[in-house]
Amino acid sequence: MDITALSAGAPVDNGLILTADAASREPALAEVLAAAAGARLVHWLAPGEGLVALATPWHAVAQRLRVDPPVFCRHICPVEITLPLTQTRSDLDTLIAAGVSFAARLDVNRPFSVQTRTLGRGWPYGPYDVNTPLAAQLQASGAPLNVRAPVDVLSVVLTPDRGYLGLSPATDNLSNWAGGARRFRRERGQISRAEFKLLEALEVFGLDPAGAQLALDLGAAPGGWTRVLRQHSAHVVAVDPAALVPALRRDPGVRHVRTLAQDYLATADTAFDIILNDMRMDARDSARLMSRAAAQLRPLGWAVMTLKLPKQETVATLAAALALLKGSYTPIGVRQLFHNRSEVTTALRRRG
């Protein structure tokens, strides 16, 4: 999609900043523009960070994106105030003074947080230097501060020459986390970064492995997703011709079937509460494989899979893969998560 940027000269006082993976910024922008009649890209603030001028109210655009969630846009925040910056510590007084002007709109019954992001390099101060004094000033309104679970968010996005501020409900932002950057602490015994993808998917799609008795992990090696399920006490059939890590090989709750997923499914007759698939294959081939696996999913069970996407024809490939899945599954959700790269994660329930 060829998007022509407008001049960045005039301040924006009714706009939004969208965040997406840099490689997916064009389809993410298309999703936002489809929900916002008359909106225009002003310019890209950074790779994956787009400033959009709105012709309609922010809350109307946010509502449309809540009702029909985007796939590639992982976070939006409103722009109500634009400030000039010098990228010196004198900016802090300017930002705090502007931020305090939102105090009258805070509700004493709704926890809030301040989320600051700095784009670019050379900053003599960081997000903490803005968040801490500004939150302290806003608490004087009586609204409680809750960084991890805010109801309202004051978003502060800083570029070397400008700052952008806006207040909104966290649900309007598509994510409670600044820029949609959901970070997890690395745990002792963690096998791979892929575990973060599953943890984020469980959170975003509202899935709970607790109570699941038996799960199937297709393409399991070296075992990151299997380890996450074992932490929730589910027994796992891990299918992969490659080896699992020693800790999982010793785990009596894991049965490792050393074969290809296609061969396993050809003769499978076990019913599972959960089916996972993080296999490195073309998204359409993976969708066909998961369609075969649907017969092994219990009626109230669910599945999570990643769809690997090419650099070219990304949207068309995703659409084709999802169309294949819809023959066997009802989608719970489809998102390019923070911990995804050139892929999209989808959660599914068996159709019928």
Side-chain angles (χ1 to χ4, degrees):
M1 183 176 182
D2 182 19
I3 302 293
T4 302
L6 302 179
S7 168
V12 173
D13 58 7
N14 179 32
L16 64 79
I17 293 172
L18 71 90
T19 304
D21 183 82
S24 301
R25 72 181 195 176
E26 294 297 341
L29 175 61
E31 291 171 333
V32 171
L33 296 184
R40 296 290 186 271
L41 174 69
V42 178
H43 66 148
W44 293 106
L45 303 172
E49 301 277 353
L51 174 63
V52 174
L54 298 177
T56 53
W58 150 267
H59 63 82
V61 177
Q63 182 179 16
R64 291 190 191 101
L65 290 171
R66 286 200 314 271
V67 171
D68 186 13
V71 174
F72 295 100
C73 179
R74 66 172 182 249
H75 184 270
I76 56 174
C77 62
V79 173
E80 299 174 87
I81 296 176
T82 304
L83 298 171
L85 299 180
T86 60
Q87 211 173 17
T88 65
R89 290 191 69 85
S90 63
D91 293 337
L92 295 175
D93 291 337
T94 303
L95 290 166
I96 292 168
V100 168
S101 68
F102 291 95
R105 288 168 50 190
L106 293 176
D107 187 326
V108 296
N109 297 309
R110 294 161 62 98
F112 79 95
S113 72
V114 180
Q115 296 181 352
T116 300
R117 291 183 286 150
T118 54
L119 308 181
R121 300 179 179 178
W123 292 95
Y125 55 89
Y128 178 85
D129 298 307
V130 179
N131 290 347
T132 302
L134 183 48
Q137 292 281 346
L138 291 173
Q139 281 181 283
S141 69
L145 179 67
N146 188 328
V147 174
R148 299 191 68 83
V151 174
D152 295 310
V153 174
L154 176 57
S155 299
V156 182
V157 180
L158 308 180
T159 69
D161 63 343
R162 291 200 180 170
Y164 303 93
L165 293 81
L167 179 68
S168 57
T171 52
D172 281 358
N173 294 3
L174 305 178
S175 172
N176 280 4
W177 305 92
R182 178 61 169 109
R183 301 185 188 278
F184 296 91
R185 182 175 297 177
R186 188 170 183 86
E187 296 180 355
R188 189 186 190 98
Q190 183 176 329
I191 295 169
S192 67
R193 189 192 67 83
E195 293 182 32
F196 294 149
K197 290 193 292 185
L198 181 55
L199 290 171
E200 187 180 5
L202 297 176
E203 189 174 280
V204 167
F205 300 126
L207 302 173
D208 185 1
Q213 296 181 0
L214 188 60
L216 174 64
D217 188 359
L218 299 173
W225 283 22
T226 292
R227 190 184 89 93
V228 172
L229 290 178
R230 289 297 295 138
Q231 288 181 311
H232 290 86
S233 301
H235 284 67
V236 182
V237 175
V239 178
D240 201 303
L244 300 180
V245 298
L248 292 178
R249 293 202 299 267
R250 296 189 298 266
D251 188 337
V254 177
R255 181 165 75 90
H256 185 195
V257 181
R258 299 195 71 160
T259 189
L260 296 173
Q262 300 91 315
D263 295 338
Y264 174 81
L265 291 173
T267 59
D269 59 1
T270 304
F272 296 94
D273 301 297
I274 298 170
I275 298 179
L276 304 181
N277 175 356
D278 190 31
M279 299 177 67
R280 293 185 180 278
M281 62 169 56
D282 179 89
R284 292 154 294 194
D285 292 337
S286 191
R288 293 185 186 98
L289 182 73
M290 282 296 284
S291 295
R292 292 169 59 188
Q296 313 311 131
L297 187 62
R298 290 189 173 122
L300 297 180
W302 47 264
V304 172
M305 70 177 298
T306 54
L307 294 165
K308 314 307 188 198
L309 301 174
K311 292 183 179 180
Q312 304 297 325
E313 299 185 355
T314 303
V315 176
T317 300
L318 176 61
L322 293 175
L324 289 167
L325 288 168
K326 285 182 180 178
S328 303
Y329 297 96
T330 299
I332 297 170
V334 185
R335 293 295 298 275
Q336 186 167 52
L337 304 174
F338 174 68
H339 290 285
N340 287 140
R341 293 296 182 264
S342 56
E343 63 190 14
V344 161
T345 297
T346 182
L348 308 159
R349 292 198 186 278
R350 194 176 116 183
R351 186 177 290 279

